[in-house]
């Protein structure tokens, strides 16, 4: 309970503290404070008491869900599950590979027949990808379409856009599909699948416990870290992979929890596979300081290689999309014929290919064959993903880096002779540099190479090349190999989290009338009276011309009272705080409120600096809630009509209508089942070029925002969408994951008439 006279959450604590200060200043203030607390006590006596749960299980459940220590057992559980999943997944790959080829790894076997297909000879490699596609194609298409591809972008999307929610069946489907794909010759890696498997496990546990979105995201990251840690015996790299690529932040709480999961998974992985480094390579070192220039050149060229791989990967996918007209479940089997023919000519592309990678770095191949292996891997991986295969791109990028780096080292030896160290050293550095150029994750790239090889002597040229590769990659391409997949679907993770209505609302839509301002000469006791009786945490100070001069906060007033600075006035207590303008977005305003730890900020005119309003946390939330409430009502009303647009300039604030905003509790029922989806129109295909009234919107969806060149634009049915527009939609949850497919449907008419909702 709060003292009577308080006005909401933002002022309750301040009023209580100020009442105690006033108690020591004069009897009149003591009487006011005392009467306020007596009234609160009387109200409390008439209400049912609030007690902690008695049930031990309930208290334990609440502890897991809501306390910081509760994350520890959850992280350990997810780490153990991810570690066990990684062990099972690796054995599944070996089992399927032996089932079809008779060997644990066929990539370094050469052109030999499989004992299980003796009549086919070497041509069995043409049949095996087709058989595998017939098995995993229907499984993926029927049970978890998101298991198709390399997996990491789907996890990134779940974290940034879906609160960490991943369908539970993804872990099982991804395990089977990826193990079958790799075991049947798919030239992909296992890091993407195990990241998706571990993340799906963490998400499933969090969803069962009904954790908040923030905690759910943490468990997803724990699963990703655990998967990388156990699969590659790389606990440090697993942590930074999760923080750098999945969570995209390095908060202290996140770091500690992810470390626990990674260590737990590594213990399980080492129990199954041993504690030796994943790759067995000789020790390398730089021969002379001048070599660092050569490593710098390798970093630049490796960045270009990573970008080329990214472009070829998605270009091949586009080509197959245009050519394929059959059912999706049959696509892997049909494309398996092409993959099999490639394997027939270059069997080193079978599966992940780590033995071939090691042989290349050890110097077993000549320069021209290294370049063939490099090109072959780019084509084989791109084809595997394009036909609907399931597997990662991390291991292929390491393979390409090893081949390219070793070839670069051999060329340098031919040019500079003994001044150049072993070519394998360049291959080792090239592994990290090409991955950094493709994924733009420099910390992960450095650590993963160190942990995969256990070689620290090459760390300086490795760091230099990776840093250069990351920078050059950013110049050559806006997107990474992971984010480009999402950007092609209209989701731009590089620009941060998707927009919400706070980006569309302005301060003018939420601000309240300015509290009666203090004058510079207002004495301390009068300021305390105002703060305590009005229940505010701060008041503006304006001069005789109504020009804003600063803000007096309750904290500063308390400090002055405790120091007996009774001569203090509003002029001496006022401090400069950030000011807002009416045309600024609520997102910007909320960021300032949180950053400055303020309960309220003044809104001033951009023209003459006069204070025209006041904005608090509660005002921001009220405007946001009102906008969503109106949006749901409009979407439901429009579900049987052709009009699916709403005014995008702003919501009508409650204080302008004279009616209070709908209470948050009353809005929850209506808002459940809806999601805010933000899309960028990055291509030239529909709905680009269509009028808003022509677009095939998802059922009961509402366009609540249109931003063009980062400016909010008023949208009507006649507004024609353009490339680069960002759309904010309020969409029923069941359609939220398929918005892109809806929007890409062409209107049945070419006139300006609106399309019927599907």
């Amino acid at each position: 309970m709060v003292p009577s006279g308080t006005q909401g959450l933002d002022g309750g604590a301040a009023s209580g503290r100020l009442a105690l200060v006033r108690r020591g200043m004069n009897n009149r203030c003591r009487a006011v404070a005392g009467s306020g607390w007596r009234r609160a006590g009387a109200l409390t006596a008439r209400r049912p008491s609030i007690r902690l749960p008695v049930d031990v299980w309930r208290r334990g459940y609440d502890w897991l869900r809501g306390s910081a220590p509760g994350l520890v057992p959850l992280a350990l559980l997810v780490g153990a599950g991810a570690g066990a999943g990684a062990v099972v997944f690796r054995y599944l790959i070996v089992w399927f590979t032996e089932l079809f080829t008779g060997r644990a790894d066929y990539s370094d076997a050469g052109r030999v027949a499989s004992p299980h297909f003796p009549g086919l000879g070497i041509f069995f490699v043409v049949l095996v990808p087709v058989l595998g596609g017939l098995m995993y194609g229907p499984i993926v298409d029927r049970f978890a379409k998101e298991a198709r591809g390399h997996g990491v972008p789907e996890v990134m999307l779940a974290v940034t856009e879906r609160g960490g929610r991943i369908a539970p069946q993804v872990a099982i489907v991804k395990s089977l599909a990826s193990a079958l794909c790799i075991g049947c010759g798919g030239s992909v890696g296992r890091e993407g699948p195990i990241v998706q498997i571990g993340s799906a496990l963490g998400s499933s546990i969090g969803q069962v416990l009904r954790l908040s979105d923030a905690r759910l995201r943490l468990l997803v990251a724990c699963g990703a870290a655990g998967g990388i840690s156990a699969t590659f015996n790389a606990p440090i790299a697993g942590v930074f992979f999760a923080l750098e690529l999945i969570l995209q932040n390095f908060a202290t709480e996140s770091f500690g929890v992810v470390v626990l999961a990674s260590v737990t998974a590594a213990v399980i992985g080492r129990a199954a596979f041993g504690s030796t480094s994943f790759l067995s390579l000789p020790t390398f070192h730089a021969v002379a300081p001048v070599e660092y220039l050569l490593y710098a050149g390798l970093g630049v060229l490796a960045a270009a290689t990573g970008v080329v791989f990214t472009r070829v990967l998605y270009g091949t996918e586009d080509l197959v999309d245009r050519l394929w007209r059959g059912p999706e479940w049959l696509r892997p089997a049909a494309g398996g014929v092409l993959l099999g023919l490639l394997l027939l000519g270059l069997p080193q592309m079978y599966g992940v290919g780590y033995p071939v990678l090691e042989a290349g770095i050890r110097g077993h191949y000549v320069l021209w064959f290294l370049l063939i292996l490099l090109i072959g891997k780019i084509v084989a991986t791109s084809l595997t993903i394009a036909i609907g295969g399931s597997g990662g791109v991390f291991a292929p990028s390491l393979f390409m880096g090893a081949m390219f780096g070793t070839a670069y080292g051999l060329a340098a030896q031919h040019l500079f002779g003994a001044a150049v160290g072993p070519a394998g050293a360049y291959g080792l550095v090239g592994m990290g540099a090409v991955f950094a150029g493709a994924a733009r994750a420099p910390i992960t790239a450095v650590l993963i190479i160190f942990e995969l090889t256990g070689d620290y002597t090459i760390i300086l040229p490795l760091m230099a090349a990776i840093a250069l590769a990351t920078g050059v990659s950013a110049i050559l391409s806006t997107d990474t190999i992971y984010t480009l997949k999402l950007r092609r679907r209209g989701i731009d993770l590089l620009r941060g989290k998707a927009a919400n209505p706070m980006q569309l609302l302005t301060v003018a839509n939420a601000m309240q009338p300015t509290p009666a301002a203090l004058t510079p000469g207002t004495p301390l006791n009068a300021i305390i009276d105002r703060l305590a009786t009005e229940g505010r945490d701060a008041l503006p100070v304006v001069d005789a011309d109504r020009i804003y001069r600063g803000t007096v906060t309750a904290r500063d007033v308390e400090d002055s009272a405790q120091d007996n600075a009774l001569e203090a006035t509003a002029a001496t207590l006022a401090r400069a705080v950030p000011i807002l303008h009416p045309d600024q977005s609520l997102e910007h305003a909320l960021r300032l409120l949180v950053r400055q730890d303020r309960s309220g900020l003044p809104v001033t005119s951009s023209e003459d600096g006069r204070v025209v309003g006041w904005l608090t946390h509660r005002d921001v939330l009220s405007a946001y809630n009102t906008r969503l409430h109106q949006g749901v009502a409009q979407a439901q009303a429009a579900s049987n009509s052709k009009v699916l647009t709403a005014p995008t300039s702003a919501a009508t604030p409650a204080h302008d209508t004279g009616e209070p905003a709908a209470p948050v509790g009353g809005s929850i029922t209506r808002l459940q089942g809806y999601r805010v989806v933000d899309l960028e129109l990055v291509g030239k295909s529909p709905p680009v070029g269509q009028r808003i009234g022509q677009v095939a919107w998802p059922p009961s969806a509402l366009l609540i925002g249109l931003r063009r060149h980062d400016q909010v634009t008023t949208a009507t049915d006649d507004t024609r969408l353009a490339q680069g527009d960002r759309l904010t939609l309020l969409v029923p949850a069941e359609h939220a994951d398929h918005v892109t497919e809806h929007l890409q449907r062409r209107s049945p008419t070419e006139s300006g008439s609106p399309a019927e909702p599907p």
Side-chain angles (χ1 to χ4, degrees):
M1 300 294 296
V2 298
S4 64
T6 57
Q7 297 182 6
L9 298 177
D10 61 311
S15 299
R17 293 195 303 267
L18 286 167
L20 295 178
V21 172
R22 295 171 73 235
R23 196 175 296 172
M25 294 188 65
N26 55 61
N27 291 332
R28 180 177 61 83
C29 295
R30 182 165 58 250
V32 172
S35 63
W37 284 107
R38 283 197 297 273
R39 286 195 295 272
L43 287 174
T44 304
R46 290 195 297 268
R47 293 184 177 180
S49 60
I50 300 176
R51 297 175 305 208
L52 292 175
V54 179
D55 186 354
V56 175
W57 294 106
R58 170 61 64 177
R59 295 182 68 174
Y61 174 65
D62 292 343
W63 178 77
L64 277 177
R65 293 181 66 244
S67 69
L71 286 170
V72 173
L74 293 177
L76 296 176
L77 177 61
V78 173
V87 171
V88 171
F89 180 59
R90 280 187 61 176
Y91 279 124
L92 274 176
I93 293 174
V94 172
W95 187 78
F96 282 126
T97 304
E98 289 182 339
L99 176 65
F100 290 104
T101 69
R103 298 170 179 269
D105 195 313
Y106 185 78
S107 61
D108 62 341
R111 289 181 173 83
V112 298
S114 168
H116 302 142
F117 303 94
L120 295 177
I122 183 59
F123 291 95
F124 86 96
V125 295
V126 180
L127 175 65
V128 166
V130 178
L131 294 178
L134 286 173
M135 287 187 281
Y136 70 78
I139 293 175
V140 171
D141 190 65
R142 173 65 179 83
F143 296 104
K145 290 182 173 62
E146 57 267 46
R148 180 182 294 118
H150 45 106
V152 175
E154 284 72 20
V155 176
M156 296 168 68
L157 177 63
V159 168
T160 57
E161 303 281 337
R162 300 172 184 169
R165 289 171 179 79
I166 302 174
Q169 69 269 22
V170 169
I172 298 175
V173 174
K174 190 70 175 181
S175 300
L176 290 174
S178 297
L180 274 167
C181 181
I182 296 172
C184 294
S187 193
V188 286
R190 54 187 182 227
E191 109 290 338
I194 194 56
V195 165
Q196 199 170 9
I197 292 166
S199 298
L201 174 64
S203 178
S204 299
I205 292 174
Q207 290 180 72
V208 168
L209 295 175
R210 299 183 180 179
L211 300 183
S212 66
D213 286 1
R215 293 199 163 206
L216 200 57
R217 293 187 187 100
L218 269 181
L219 293 192
V220 169
C222 287
I228 292 290
S229 175
T231 300
F232 298 107
N233 189 20
I236 303 175
V239 169
F240 283 92
F241 182 94
L243 297 178
E244 192 173 24
L245 284 172
I246 305 301
L247 282 183
Q248 300 180 21
N249 76 69
F250 293 87
T252 303
E253 182 184 45
S254 304
F255 183 82
V257 173
V258 173
V259 166
L260 286 176
S262 183
V263 169
T264 305
V267 170
I268 294 175
R270 290 183 179 186
F273 307 120
S275 58
T276 57
S277 298
F278 184 76
L279 296 177
S280 177
L281 297 172
T283 300
F284 298 110
H285 61 276
V287 174
V290 71
E291 272 198 286
Y292 285 96
L293 295 176
L294 294 176
Y295 283 113
L298 174 60
V300 173
L301 295 177
T305 304
V307 172
V308 168
F309 171 44
T310 302
R311 297 301 178 186
V312 172
L313 175 68
Y314 292 108
T316 306
E317 194 169 353
D318 288 340
L319 178 62
V320 175
D321 285 342
R322 287 195 297 269
L323 296 177
W324 180 249
R325 292 293 180 266
E328 286 300 312
W329 65 267
L330 190 58
R331 180 166 163 169
V337 176
L338 296 177
L339 179 60
L341 292 174
L342 176 59
L343 295 176
L344 184 63
L346 204 59
Q348 290 84 357
M349 298 298 103
Y350 197 106
V352 181
Y354 283 122
V356 180
L357 183 153
E358 291 188 20
I361 290 182
R362 288 179 179 275
H364 294 176
Y365 304 132
V366 296
L367 192 151
W368 65 267
F369 190 64
L370 289 170
L371 296 178
I372 288 178
L373 291 176
L374 168 64
I375 297 171
K377 196 65 173 181
I378 292 175
V379 175
T381 301
S382 301
L383 182 60
T384 303
I385 297 294
I387 65 175
S390 179
V393 295
F394 171 71
S397 67
L398 295 183
F399 186 102
M400 296 168 201
M403 300 303 110
F404 178 77
T406 306
Y408 180 91
L410 289 175
Q413 286 178 344
H414 286 305
L415 292 174
F416 304 106
V420 178
Y426 290 88
L428 189 60
V429 171
M431 290 167 59
V434 170
F435 172 69
R440 216 169 297 157
I443 300 176
T444 302
V446 171
L447 293 174
I448 197 71
I449 300 304
F450 168 63
E451 290 196 285
L452 285 179
T453 62
D455 187 0
Y456 186 77
T457 58
I458 204 71
I459 193 71
L460 293 181
L462 177 67
M463 292 171 64
I466 286 175
L468 282 170
T470 303
V472 173
S473 172
I475 295 173
L476 296 177
S477 174
T478 303
D479 299 286
T480 71
I481 197 167
Y482 295 130
T483 60
L484 183 57
K485 180 176 182 179
L486 300 176
R487 182 177 173 84
R488 285 153 50 88
R489 290 158 49 184
I491 303 164
D492 188 359
L493 294 186
L494 292 178
R495 295 181 61 170
K497 292 183 66 176
N500 58 57
M502 287 190 188
Q503 290 179 313
L504 308 173
L505 297 170
T506 63
V507 171
N509 304 127
M511 68 182 187
Q512 298 293 331
T514 310
L518 301 171
T519 62
T522 306
L524 180 64
N525 65 320
I527 298 173
I528 294 176
D529 271 335
R530 286 281 312 279
L531 291 173
T533 56
E534 296 180 17
R536 297 188 181 276
D537 219 9
L539 289 170
V541 179
V542 298
D543 59 18
D545 297 324
R546 300 296 295 172
I547 303 299
Y548 172 71
R549 293 301 185 189
T551 298
V552 174
T553 66
R555 187 174 301 170
D556 294 331
V557 171
E558 289 171 350
D559 291 341
S560 296
Q562 289 174 357
D563 295 339
N564 291 321
L566 304 182
E567 73 283 357
T569 64
T572 59
L573 293 175
R575 68 166 60 189
V577 297
I579 58 175
L580 300 170
H581 299 299
D583 58 348
Q584 292 176 322
S585 71
L586 282 191
E587 183 187 47
H588 172 74
L590 184 60
R591 190 161 52 243
L592 286 181
L593 284 167
V594 173
R595 184 186 305 160
Q596 299 295 324
D597 192 23
R598 303 295 177 199
S599 64
L601 290 175
V603 183
T604 64
S605 170
S606 303
E607 299 174 355
D608 54 14
R610 296 175 185 270
V611 179
V612 296
W614 192 259
L615 188 74
T616 67
H617 286 276
R618 188 170 59 172
D619 299 330
V620 173
L621 294 177
S622 177
Y624 175 84
N625 182 54
T626 300
R627 182 67 188 99
L628 289 184
H629 195 80
Q630 291 173 344
V632 171
Q634 290 171 325
Q636 292 174 343
S639 60
N640 295 321
S641 70
K642 298 178 180 180
V643 181
L644 291 173
T645 58
T648 58
S649 56
T652 303
H655 62 270
D656 284 349
T657 62
E659 299 178 0
V664 174
S667 298
I668 289 176
T669 301
R670 299 191 65 186
L671 293 177
Q672 281 180 345
Y674 280 85
R675 279 183 20 205
V676 177
V677 176
D678 185 67
L679 298 173
E680 181 181 4
L681 304 181
V682 296
K684 297 182 179 179
S685 58
V688 171
Q690 292 182 333
R691 293 184 177 89
I692 287 178
Q694 292 178 300
V695 177
W697 302 102
S700 300
L702 182 77
L703 176 63
I704 58 176
L706 170 63
R707 281 158 295 152
R708 184 168 290 169
H709 308 301
D710 291 328
Q711 298 293 324
V712 177
T713 302
T714 301
T716 66
D717 278 352
D718 292 328
T719 301
R720 193 175 293 276
L721 297 176
Q723 187 176 7
D725 285 352
R726 292 179 70 88
L727 311 178
T728 302
L729 303 170
L730 191 64
V731 185
E734 63 268 22
H735 302 302
D737 295 335
H738 306 287
V739 171
T740 304
E741 289 82 352
H742 276 288
L743 296 184
Q744 289 177 340
R745 297 176 184 174
R746 293 187 178 275
S747 172
T749 65
E750 295 301 327
S751 64
S753 60
E756 292 285 351

